[in-house]
Amino acid sequence: MALYLKQSAIIFGFSLLGEALNRLIPLPIPAAVYGLVLLFVALCLKLVKVEQIDKVSSFLLTILPILFVSPAVNLLESWEILAPQVLSISLLVVSSTILVFAIAGMISQLFCRKEDGNGNPS
Protein backbone atom coordinates (compact mmCIF):
# COMPACT_ATOMS: atom_id res chain seq x y z
CA MET A 1 0.00 0.00 0.00
CA ALA A 2 2.79 2.42 0.91
CA LEU A 3 4.52 1.61 -2.40
CA TYR A 4 1.46 2.67 -4.38
CA LEU A 5 1.09 5.86 -2.36
CA LYS A 6 4.73 6.75 -2.92
CA GLN A 7 4.53 6.08 -6.66
CA SER A 8 1.29 8.04 -6.92
CA ALA A 9 2.85 10.93 -5.04
CA ILE A 10 5.77 11.04 -7.48
CA ILE A 11 3.51 11.03 -10.55
CA PHE A 12 1.04 13.53 -9.12
CA GLY A 13 3.94 15.67 -7.91
CA PHE A 14 5.11 16.06 -11.50
CA SER A 15 1.53 16.87 -12.48
CA LEU A 16 1.48 19.57 -9.81
CA LEU A 17 4.78 20.97 -11.10
CA GLY A 18 3.24 21.03 -14.56
CA GLU A 19 0.29 23.03 -13.21
CA ALA A 20 2.69 25.49 -11.58
CA LEU A 21 4.65 25.92 -14.82
CA ASN A 22 1.42 26.40 -16.73
CA ARG A 23 0.53 29.30 -14.44
CA LEU A 24 4.04 30.82 -14.56
CA ILE A 25 4.74 30.51 -18.30
CA PRO A 26 2.17 32.31 -20.47
CA LEU A 27 2.17 29.81 -23.35
CA PRO A 28 -0.85 27.89 -24.67
CA ILE A 29 0.59 24.55 -23.55
CA PRO A 30 -1.54 22.31 -21.31
CA ALA A 31 -0.28 21.74 -17.79
CA ALA A 32 -0.31 17.98 -18.37
CA VAL A 33 2.24 18.38 -21.15
CA TYR A 34 4.55 20.33 -18.85
CA GLY A 35 4.21 17.60 -16.22
CA LEU A 36 4.91 14.81 -18.70
CA VAL A 37 7.96 16.61 -20.08
CA LEU A 38 9.29 17.18 -16.56
CA LEU A 39 8.77 13.51 -15.70
CA PHE A 40 10.43 12.45 -18.97
CA VAL A 41 13.45 14.66 -18.24
CA ALA A 42 13.65 13.32 -14.68
CA LEU A 43 13.58 9.75 -16.03
CA CYS A 44 16.25 10.53 -18.64
CA LEU A 45 18.49 12.17 -16.03
CA LYS A 46 17.85 9.21 -13.71
CA LEU A 47 16.47 11.54 -11.02
CA VAL A 48 13.47 9.22 -11.02
CA LYS A 49 13.96 5.55 -11.78
CA VAL A 50 11.34 3.57 -13.70
CA GLU A 51 11.02 1.21 -10.74
CA GLN A 52 9.86 4.16 -8.63
CA ILE A 53 6.73 4.65 -10.75
CA ASP A 54 6.19 1.40 -12.67
CA LYS A 55 3.26 -0.12 -10.72
CA VAL A 56 1.09 3.01 -10.65
CA SER A 57 1.97 4.02 -14.21
CA SER A 58 0.99 0.54 -15.44
CA PHE A 59 -2.31 0.85 -13.60
CA LEU A 60 -2.96 4.29 -15.10
CA LEU A 61 -2.24 2.95 -18.58
CA THR A 62 -4.65 0.09 -17.95
CA ILE A 63 -7.54 2.41 -17.04
CA LEU A 64 -6.72 5.00 -19.71
CA PRO A 65 -9.64 4.04 -22.00
CA ILE A 66 -12.09 4.70 -19.16
CA LEU A 67 -10.83 8.26 -18.92
CA PHE A 68 -12.06 8.93 -22.48
CA VAL A 69 -15.68 7.96 -21.76
CA SER A 70 -16.74 11.33 -20.36
CA PRO A 71 -15.33 13.40 -23.26
CA ALA A 72 -16.94 11.01 -25.75
CA VAL A 73 -20.33 11.43 -24.07
CA ASN A 74 -19.91 15.21 -24.17
CA LEU A 75 -19.22 15.01 -27.91
CA LEU A 76 -22.40 13.00 -28.42
CA GLU A 77 -24.39 15.57 -26.45
CA SER A 78 -23.07 18.29 -28.78
CA TRP A 79 -23.92 16.38 -31.96
CA GLU A 80 -26.20 19.13 -33.33
CA ILE A 81 -23.29 21.56 -33.30
CA LEU A 82 -20.75 19.08 -34.68
CA ALA A 83 -22.87 17.42 -37.39
CA PRO A 84 -22.36 20.10 -40.09
CA GLN A 85 -18.59 19.87 -39.70
CA VAL A 86 -18.21 16.12 -39.21
CA LEU A 87 -16.34 15.61 -42.50
CA SER A 88 -13.78 18.37 -41.90
CA ILE A 89 -13.32 17.26 -38.28
CA SER A 90 -12.82 13.65 -39.40
CA LEU A 91 -10.24 14.66 -42.00
CA LEU A 92 -8.42 16.75 -39.42
CA VAL A 93 -8.40 13.91 -36.87
CA VAL A 94 -7.20 11.31 -39.39
CA SER A 95 -4.47 13.52 -40.88
CA SER A 96 -3.21 14.70 -37.49
CA THR A 97 -3.18 11.09 -36.20
CA ILE A 98 -1.11 9.96 -39.18
CA LEU A 99 1.25 12.91 -38.67
CA VAL A 100 1.66 12.15 -34.96
CA PHE A 101 2.28 8.44 -35.70
CA ALA A 102 4.93 9.34 -38.30
CA ILE A 103 6.72 11.84 -36.06
CA ALA A 104 6.57 9.50 -33.04
CA GLY A 105 7.95 6.66 -35.16
CA MET A 106 10.84 8.78 -36.44
CA ILE A 107 11.68 10.00 -32.94
CA SER A 108 11.50 6.43 -31.60
CA GLN A 109 13.88 5.27 -34.32
CA LEU A 110 16.30 8.06 -33.41
CA PHE A 111 16.25 7.00 -29.76
CA CYS A 112 16.65 3.32 -30.65
CA ARG A 113 19.71 3.86 -32.79
CA LYS A 114 22.76 3.56 -30.63
CA GLU A 115 26.21 4.43 -31.80
CA ASP A 116 29.48 2.98 -30.69
CA GLY A 117 32.58 5.09 -30.20
CA ASN A 118 33.22 5.31 -33.97
CA GLY A 119 29.75 6.59 -34.80
CA ASN A 120 28.60 3.25 -36.21
CA PRO A 121 25.22 1.84 -35.24
CA SER A 122 25.60 -1.03 -32.81
Tab-separated table of all heavy atoms in Angstrom, residues 13-23 30-32 34-35 38:
chain	number	residue	atom	x	y	z
A	13	GLY	N	3.042	14.547	-8.164
A	13	GLY	CA	3.942	15.674	-7.909
A	13	GLY	C	4.412	16.327	-9.205
A	13	GLY	O	4.456	17.561	-9.314
A	14	PHE	N	4.728	15.506	-10.200
A	14	PHE	CA	5.108	16.062	-11.500
A	14	PHE	C	3.919	16.738	-12.181
A	14	PHE	O	4.082	17.751	-12.856
A	14	PHE	CB	5.723	14.984	-12.397
A	14	PHE	CG	7.167	14.735	-12.087
A	14	PHE	CD1	7.535	13.674	-11.279
A	14	PHE	CD2	8.152	15.563	-12.589
A	14	PHE	CE1	8.863	13.443	-10.974
A	14	PHE	CE2	9.486	15.340	-12.297
A	14	PHE	CZ	9.847	14.286	-11.487
A	15	SER	N	2.725	16.214	-11.954
A	15	SER	CA	1.527	16.875	-12.479
A	15	SER	C	1.339	18.233	-11.822
A	15	SER	O	0.989	19.215	-12.489
A	15	SER	CB	0.293	16.012	-12.229
A	15	SER	OG	0.364	14.818	-12.956
A	16	LEU	N	1.584	18.309	-10.531
A	16	LEU	CA	1.482	19.575	-9.808
A	16	LEU	C	2.531	20.576	-10.303
A	16	LEU	O	2.238	21.763	-10.477
A	16	LEU	CB	1.625	19.330	-8.305
A	16	LEU	CG	1.465	20.546	-7.412
A	16	LEU	CD1	0.053	21.108	-7.528
A	16	LEU	CD2	1.774	20.181	-5.969
A	17	LEU	N	3.751	20.090	-10.532
A	17	LEU	CA	4.784	20.972	-11.097
A	17	LEU	C	4.374	21.478	-12.477
A	17	LEU	O	4.622	22.640	-12.821
A	17	LEU	CB	6.120	20.235	-11.182
A	17	LEU	CG	6.860	19.989	-9.875
A	17	LEU	CD1	8.064	19.087	-10.111
A	17	LEU	CD2	7.292	21.292	-9.265
A	18	GLY	N	3.740	20.618	-13.257
A	18	GLY	CA	3.237	21.031	-14.561
A	18	GLY	C	2.184	22.115	-14.436
A	18	GLY	O	2.167	23.076	-15.214
A	19	GLU	N	1.301	21.989	-13.452
A	19	GLU	CA	0.286	23.025	-13.210
A	19	GLU	C	0.951	24.345	-12.833
A	19	GLU	O	0.540	25.414	-13.292
A	19	GLU	CB	-0.670	22.585	-12.092
A	19	GLU	CG	-1.617	21.484	-12.460
A	19	GLU	CD	-2.710	21.925	-13.422
A	19	GLU	OE1	-2.995	23.137	-13.528
A	19	GLU	OE2	-3.260	21.039	-14.095
A	20	ALA	N	1.982	24.264	-11.987
A	20	ALA	CA	2.689	25.485	-11.584
A	20	ALA	C	3.358	26.150	-12.786
A	20	ALA	O	3.280	27.377	-12.955
A	20	ALA	CB	3.717	25.154	-10.501
A	21	LEU	N	4.017	25.354	-13.618
A	21	LEU	CA	4.652	25.917	-14.820
A	21	LEU	C	3.625	26.525	-15.764
A	21	LEU	O	3.881	27.563	-16.380
A	21	LEU	CB	5.450	24.838	-15.552
A	21	LEU	CG	6.862	24.571	-15.065
A	21	LEU	CD1	7.499	23.462	-15.882
A	21	LEU	CD2	7.710	25.817	-15.136
A	22	ASN	N	2.467	25.890	-15.871
A	22	ASN	CA	1.421	26.402	-16.730
A	22	ASN	C	0.960	27.786	-16.273
A	22	ASN	O	0.651	28.645	-17.094
A	22	ASN	CB	0.238	25.433	-16.756
A	22	ASN	CG	-0.776	25.797	-17.800
A	22	ASN	OD1	-0.445	26.331	-18.848
A	22	ASN	ND2	-2.029	25.503	-17.526
A	23	ARG	N	0.940	27.997	-14.984
A	23	ARG	CA	0.531	29.298	-14.445
A	23	ARG	C	1.650	30.331	-14.576
A	23	ARG	O	1.381	31.512	-14.754
A	23	ARG	CB	0.122	29.170	-12.993
A	23	ARG	CG	-0.967	28.146	-12.789
A	23	ARG	CD	-2.064	28.662	-11.913
A	23	ARG	NE	-2.999	27.589	-11.586
A	23	ARG	CZ	-4.131	27.406	-12.213
A	23	ARG	NH1	-4.465	28.173	-13.209
A	23	ARG	NH2	-4.952	26.439	-11.858
A	30	PRO	N	-0.823	22.877	-22.463
A	30	PRO	CA	-1.543	22.309	-21.309
A	30	PRO	C	-0.590	21.931	-20.177
A	30	PRO	O	0.553	21.530	-20.402
A	30	PRO	CB	-2.213	21.057	-21.880
A	30	PRO	CG	-2.233	21.248	-23.351
A	30	PRO	CD	-1.052	22.106	-23.686
A	31	ALA	N	-1.088	22.063	-18.971
A	31	ALA	CA	-0.280	21.739	-17.792
A	31	ALA	C	0.163	20.282	-17.804
A	31	ALA	O	1.275	19.965	-17.363
A	31	ALA	CB	-1.076	22.041	-16.528
A	32	ALA	N	-0.665	19.396	-18.325
A	32	ALA	CA	-0.307	17.975	-18.369
A	32	ALA	C	0.928	17.745	-19.231
A	32	ALA	O	1.757	16.884	-18.925
A	32	ALA	CB	-1.478	17.154	-18.895
A	34	TYR	N	3.411	19.907	-19.671
A	34	TYR	CA	4.550	20.328	-18.845
A	34	TYR	C	4.936	19.221	-17.864
A	34	TYR	O	6.108	18.897	-17.699
A	34	TYR	CB	4.227	21.596	-18.052
A	34	TYR	CG	4.265	22.871	-18.849
A	34	TYR	CD1	3.154	23.700	-18.915
A	34	TYR	CD2	5.414	23.287	-19.511
A	34	TYR	CE1	3.171	24.887	-19.620
A	34	TYR	CE2	5.443	24.468	-20.235
A	34	TYR	CZ	4.319	25.263	-20.275
A	34	TYR	OH	4.350	26.437	-20.976
A	35	GLY	N	3.931	18.654	-17.191
A	35	GLY	CA	4.207	17.602	-16.220
A	35	GLY	C	4.843	16.383	-16.851
A	35	GLY	O	5.794	15.808	-16.303
A	38	LEU	N	8.453	17.181	-17.766
A	38	LEU	CA	9.295	17.180	-16.556
A	38	LEU	C	9.582	15.753	-16.086
A	38	LEU	O	10.717	15.434	-15.720
A	38	LEU	CB	8.616	17.974	-15.441
A	38	LEU	CG	8.569	19.480	-15.620
A	38	LEU	CD1	7.712	20.114	-14.531
A	38	LEU	CD2	9.965	20.075	-15.609
